[in-house]
Structures are given as structure tokens and as C-alpha cells.
Amino acid sequence: MGCCDQRRQAAALPAGDAAPRVGATSRADASADRKARVRYVGRGPVAVRGAVTARSYRFDDAHAIQLIDLRDLPSIVRTGLFHRV
């Protein structure tokens, strides 16, 4: 009896919609897990480009601590202008 009920529930979902999975995380949650917090220790404003994502990150005194993509962390820290916090 349970399997028939499951088919009926699945048929009731609009096309393209899937029932939420228990324990599933959203893309925003997964994205937050792939971020690293860095502190700019240089002087004056600077813009750096992530080696993996090619994203541009802009830092200055007012925005010295920011989240960056974890894949860009090694190349950005290697500049000597940033420390992971």
C-alpha cells in the first residue's frame, strides 16, 4: 500500500519539481562551505584575481576582511598580502 501512495504523491508534483530530500542542503549552504575568510594586511586599496575562479576581489582598509572562494585561497595567500582568518 505504501508504494501506491508514493506513486500518487510523485504524480501530484508539478513537472520538473522534485520532492525535497531529507538532509539536503541548498546551493547557498554548499557555497558557503567553500568559502575562506581572509584579511588584507597591505596598505591602500588593492584588487586581486583568483587563479581558479578568475573572480576579482577588491580590498581596502574598510573592507580588509572578506570571504573568498576556497579554490582561490592558495594563490591569494601566496601574494603575501593576505592571511587566512
Side-chain angles (χ1 to χ4, degrees):
M1 186 152 164
C3 70
C4 295
D5 287 338
Q6 290 171 350
R7 277 190 235 143
R8 241 183 255 120
Q9 288 173 352
L13 290 173
D17 287 353
R21 292 179 295 161
V22 175
T25 59
S26 70
R27 283 187 186 188
D29 292 338
S31 177
D33 291 341
R34 295 188 310 253
K35 300 286 184 184
R37 188 175 307 272
V38 295
R39 177 189 307 268
Y40 172 55
V41 295
R43 295 178 189 242
V46 67
V48 293
R49 185 171 303 276
V52 175
T53 66
R55 179 172 175 205
S56 180
Y57 302 99
R58 298 180 189 281
F59 293 84
D60 57 33
D61 293 339
H63 303 98
I65 298 175
Q66 295 185 39
L67 289 174
I68 65 168
D69 192 295
L70 189 59
R71 297 170 294 172
D72 291 330
L73 182 65
S75 63
I76 289 177
V77 169
R78 216 175 4 250
T79 66
L81 297 174
F82 302 90
H83 297 289
R84 188 170 185 179
V85 290

